[in-house]
Amino acid sequence: LPVAHHFDDWQQQTDARVLGMWLFLVTEVMFFGGLFTTYMIYRVSAPATFAAGSNHLSIWLGGTNTVVLLTSSFTMALAVYSAHHRNVKHLLLFLAATIALGLVFMGIKAYEYYEKYVDGLVPIRGLSFDVKQLGHGAASEEQQTNDHASGASDPAEAATGEAGPAIDEGKARIFYGLYFAMTGVHFLHMVIGIAILLLFLRPAARGSFTRGNFVPVELMGLYWHFVDIVWIFLFPLLYLIDRSHS
Amino acid sequence: MNESLSESDTQAAPSLATYATIYVALLALMAATIVAAYLPLGVFNVPVALVIAFTKTVLVALFFMHVRYSGKLIWVVAAGALVWLAILLSIYHDYLTRDWTPNRISPAHSRSQAPPGNVRRGG
């Protein structure tokens, strides 16, 4: 096993590579953290709009994708396990399974984007934005805030009582802008992850990762699990806002 | 040399049973977060969702990402990520101090105070 000349031994080199990947992931946390901070500030400024926008997302597609991604993390962990245990067949099997599940996730995500395009909810200049799709808020922004403040929510009143004012187009554009930005950047991470996994297939088949040098698979696992964690937060924050009112 | 290598090969890897348990736990927590979202918990809907997401994150990091089986340096880096993220998210508190400015974000006060433009027109 090759050890670069600036390392004392293989173990030190392995530790350094793993540490380097972790430091990269810290920068990734900060990268997504900026988006989450933006999301938080805008959500507090327009809770009813975010609820209406969120309720228009499909919980079935989003939930299915969550299961798909969690499963892909599981298969990725098993691929790392197979590399550690020097099992070429299982390594190939689980790498392929991870790629397949990643592609399923991207397919479902692409279909969701297409649905939003058909509904006219893509906030891009030049495309018409049909805010009426979102209907009226269950309550006006201030009622919503008061509800939250007192902790009281009365679905009966929401149903029979006055519907709130129509959803503001500017605020709705911000919600969908954040939706496309956050899931889009996550999508990009999936594309990169799948591309690298595809590049791993040939050396994996040759046995490059199963003669003791499991490190590339291990690092790929860290990256893949990180992308999974981002989705763990995106799913409740984008798809599950105020579902109890609907 | 080869012996020490195979030792480190397995040292960092939890057992298959552990992986399977964590996977099932993650699926259960995902079901829990959807159920919780449909319960009328008022102000507590968001904290409950975030606590579940954070729990899932800890499980993924400790077991799938092997933090539990790693040296102290990795623990420090992983915990450091959380600290830096907390500092970044705390920027939000700046916006909570802006209720008296045109950049206020809390909608509770936006209707009770007439916008400056309307006041001038009325007078």
Side-chain angles (χ1 to χ4, degrees), chain A residues 13-112:
Chain A
Q13 175 171 283
T14 301
D15 289 348
R17 291 161 89 183
V18 172
L19 179 63
M21 190 66 197
W22 270 98
L23 288 173
F24 167 66
L25 292 183
V26 174
T27 70
E28 288 273 78
V29 169
M30 297 308 283
F31 174 72
F32 281 99
L35 284 168
F36 280 106
T37 308
T38 312
Y39 167 90
M40 184 160 67
I41 289 166
Y42 278 113
R43 177 166 171 183
V44 169
S45 74
T49 309
F50 271 52
S54 171
N55 278 291
H56 201 267
L57 297 174
S58 163
I59 204 162
W60 285 108
L61 295 175
T64 307
N65 252 353
T66 308
V67 174
V68 169
L69 208 56
L70 287 175
T71 309
S72 81
S73 243
F74 181 53
T75 57
M76 189 67 228
L78 293 179
V80 174
Y81 181 88
S82 308
H84 276 281
H85 288 81
R86 309 188 176 193
N87 187 328
V88 182
K89 233 190 227 170
H90 285 179
L91 174 61
L92 277 173
L93 174 74
F94 289 124
L95 285 179
T98 309
I99 292 169
L101 288 163
L103 289 174
V104 170
F105 178 94
M106 284 165 57
I108 293 177
K109 198 76 223 144
Y111 176 72
E112 284 187 86

Side-chain angles (χ1 to χ4, degrees), chain B residues 30-70:
Chain B
M30 184 231 146
T33 198
I34 292 180
V35 171
Y38 281 97
L39 298 176
L41 303 176
V43 267
F44 293 107
N45 271 124
V46 176
V48 165
L50 289 178
V51 165
I52 293 176
F54 188 74
T55 310
K56 287 164 83 177
T57 300
V58 169
L59 288 179
V60 171
L62 283 182
F63 295 96
F64 283 2
M65 298 174 86
H66 299 167
V67 172
R68 187 165 183 268
Y69 311 89
S70 301

Side-chain angles (χ1 to χ4, degrees), chain B residues 3-52:
Chain B
E3 269 179 25
S4 76
L5 272 180
S6 42
E7 257 175 31
S8 71
D9 263 20
T10 47
Q11 179 190 27
S15 70
L16 282 179
T18 309
Y19 279 136
T21 310
I22 298 302
Y23 174 57
V24 172
L26 288 173
L27 289 181
L29 284 167
M30 184 231 146
T33 198
I34 292 180
V35 171
Y38 281 97
L39 298 176
L41 303 176
V43 267
F44 293 107
N45 271 124
V46 176
V48 165
L50 289 178
V51 165
I52 293 176

Side-chain angles (χ1 to χ4, degrees), chain A residues 174-196:
Chain A
I174 285 177
F175 173 78
Y176 280 102
L178 281 168
Y179 166 76
F180 278 102
M182 296 172 94
T183 60
V185 170
H186 179 268
F187 192 90
L188 179 66
H189 278 76
M190 298 288 299
V191 173
I192 294 168
I194 288 173
I196 298 175

Side-chain angles (χ1 to χ4, degrees), chain A residues 149-166:
Chain A
S150 61
S153 55
D154 190 350
E157 190 191 313
T160 59
E162 1 54 289

